[in-house]
Amino acid sequence: MKYFLLVVSLIVISNVSAKSPDGVSIEYSWNKLLFESDLQINQHHFLYELARDKNYFEKIVAETQLDSKDRSILNLAVDTYKSNMNIRHVLFDYGVIPQTTSKVLAHEKIESNTTIEKAFSSFKPLYERIYWVKHNKRNKKWIKNLAPKLNQHGAEIQAELEQIFDAPLFTEKGHMISVVYKPGTKQGAYTSSRSMQSVINSTYEDFLDWNALEMVFHEISHANSLNRSSKLYKLIESVFKERGLESEVGIWHPILFYTVGEVVKKVTSSQNPDYITYADRNDLYTDSWDYKEILIQYWKPYLEGKVTMMVALDNIARKLQQRRKAA
């Protein structure tokens, strides 16, 4: 497969002067990607993280000199989040996201939760006074470090991924990246394909430097190029079900990790020859995700243009059938 470089317009970094259509301050924009560091979104995820992670909560309490009044406000907010949310993953709790932070999933159907609203509002002055300056500074640094990498390599990465997925990365509405100090989840990022919005943290080691470039493209690929309505997902579903491999349809996610990781690794190799992809760095290809050798043997030829997407998936399915019979 020959990759044709897609010519896209690059929009240079802005110094918090741009505004999105809904009035959100944009720190940086590239193509149809907008990056923001928003106080309310950050506060929501920070509270979610404190409620989810007891050790982190204790660390924050120990590090922050709070008087009894501020400590009560913090405890009330965290306890309210604990008792009113599933504390699993922020995305799955969008039904109780405070209305004041509803733009975190801007186009979702969000119902108001009065209890959460009150705790959120009570904590906001404290968050703004004690935590926000540090969080915002870190978010802006993350965006600033990413910008030149995206400006230099983004167009080529986008072109290759769109060629591989046979689908555009962006819809007409574009895509918002909300950068947060803490993601509120064990994973460092998540994406809503309905609102075309991703939330990515600025503090986890696996999301810094060149890793940030890979994870941005991983997240935006979730939204349109490889969602449940995409060509690749539907082909995986069809081929695997035909061979009685319904339980293996989840391979779409390892395929996504492998594809984006390998494309970013190749495109940036001149500057970053020793890059290790996110999946390899975190040993993702284990247990139920034990697909790496299969992807190298049967999916990589598709990335190299040696076989079609259908042939690659059919070869993967055949191999999985053989592996299942041998088990």
Side-chain angles (χ1 to χ4, degrees):
M1 177 189 305
K2 292 183 178 179
Y3 296 116
F4 297 95
L5 181 62
L6 179 66
V7 179
V8 296
S9 59
L10 300 182
I11 307 173
V12 297
I13 191 166
S14 61
N15 295 314
V16 202
S17 58
K19 294 279 187 180
S20 70
D22 60 358
V24 177
S25 293
I26 302 303
E27 299 296 330
Y28 164 63
S29 58
W30 175 85
N31 198 354
K32 291 185 178 181
L33 269 182
L34 301 175
F35 292 81
E36 68 171 356
S37 174
D38 180 79
L39 186 152
Q40 294 183 143
I41 293 175
N42 271 264
Q43 179 185 321
H44 174 64
H45 287 79
F46 181 57
L47 282 172
Y48 207 109
E49 187 85 5
L50 291 172
R52 183 190 69 81
D53 188 338
K54 181 181 178 182
N55 291 331
Y56 183 62
F57 172 74
E58 293 175 348
K59 178 176 180 288
I60 289 299
V61 170
E63 290 178 350
T64 311
Q65 299 298 317
L66 299 176
D67 59 28
S68 58
K69 179 180 178 181
D70 286 343
R71 178 64 183 274
S72 283
I73 293 172
L74 174 62
N75 287 340
L76 175 61
V78 172
D79 288 344
T80 301
Y81 267 59
K82 281 183 180 179
S83 58
N84 284 269
M85 292 185 165
N86 295 327
I87 309 304
R88 295 180 297 126
H89 192 303
V90 186
L91 181 60
F92 301 143
D93 279 330
Y94 60 79
V96 289
I97 288 176
Q99 288 293 304
T100 48
T101 64
S102 61
K103 60 188 174 183
V104 69
L105 295 170
H107 304 291
E108 304 288 355
K109 293 181 179 179
I110 299 170
E111 298 178 1
S112 179
N113 183 302
T114 305
T115 304
I116 289 287
E117 287 282 358
K118 288 181 178 178
F120 185 91
S121 297
S122 296
F123 182 68
K124 186 177 178 182
L126 176 62
Y127 177 74
E128 191 167 7
R129 173 164 49 90
I130 295 179
Y131 303 105
W132 173 236
V133 172
K134 176 183 177 181
H135 294 183
N136 191 36
K137 183 178 180 180
R138 181 59 181 255
N139 294 342
K140 289 183 177 181
K141 180 180 179 181
W142 187 90
I143 296 169
K144 184 178 180 180
N145 288 338
L146 171 68
K149 299 176 178 64
L150 193 49
N151 285 337
Q152 182 174 0
H153 300 291
E156 187 174 357
I157 293 171
Q158 178 183 349
E160 295 215 10
L161 290 178
E162 291 185 334
Q163 182 86 4
I164 291 166
F165 294 134
D166 195 16
L169 283 182
F170 305 109
T171 63
E172 285 302 314
K173 71 172 70 173
H175 196 101
M176 175 70 78
I177 303 286
S178 296
V179 184
V180 294
Y181 187 80
K182 285 292 184 179
T185 173
K186 290 181 181 179
Q187 294 74 33
Y190 65 88
T191 292
S192 167
S193 60
R194 286 174 289 186
S195 63
M196 294 297 166
Q197 186 162 9
S198 298
V199 173
I200 300 180
N201 87 94
S202 64
T203 54
Y204 287 8
E205 188 68 28
D206 291 330
F207 285 76
L208 304 179
D209 198 34
W210 289 97
N211 306 334
L213 187 64
E214 177 185 346
M215 297 319 295
V216 163
F217 277 101
H218 178 94
E219 289 302 322
I220 62 177
S221 294
H222 270 292
N224 194 59
S225 298
L226 188 43
N227 60 32
R228 292 184 181 275
S229 300
S230 66
K231 174 181 177 179
L232 178 52
Y233 184 89
K234 287 182 174 180
L235 275 179
I236 293 172
E237 197 171 42
S238 173
V239 171
F240 279 42
K241 284 185 176 180
E242 185 178 334
R243 295 188 176 276
L245 296 168
E246 289 89 347
S247 62
E248 307 263 17
V249 169
I251 195 174
W252 70 267
H253 206 180
I255 284 176
L256 177 58
F257 269 108
Y258 183 82
T259 301
V260 177
E262 290 303 307
V263 168
V264 171
K265 182 178 180 179
K266 185 185 78 170
V267 170
T268 64
S269 60
S270 62
Q271 286 183 276
N272 193 33
D274 300 320
Y275 183 70
I276 301 174
T277 67
Y278 182 93
D280 285 332
R281 202 165 50 247
N282 290 278
D283 296 321
L284 294 189
Y285 303 117
T286 58
D287 301 324
S288 63
W289 276 33
D290 183 18
Y291 295 119
K292 185 175 181 181
E293 294 306 316
I294 290 176
L295 294 177
I296 291 173
Q297 187 173 1
Y298 298 112
W299 185 249
K300 187 176 180 181
Y302 170 61
L303 302 188
E304 296 173 341
K306 297 176 181 178
V307 298
T308 65
M309 182 188 290
M310 176 61 82
V311 169
L313 293 176
D314 193 56
N315 287 338
I316 290 172
R318 289 174 185 271
K319 183 64 177 180
L320 289 174
Q321 278 186 316
Q322 293 172 9
R323 190 165 75 173
R324 180 176 290 186
K325 290 177 182 178

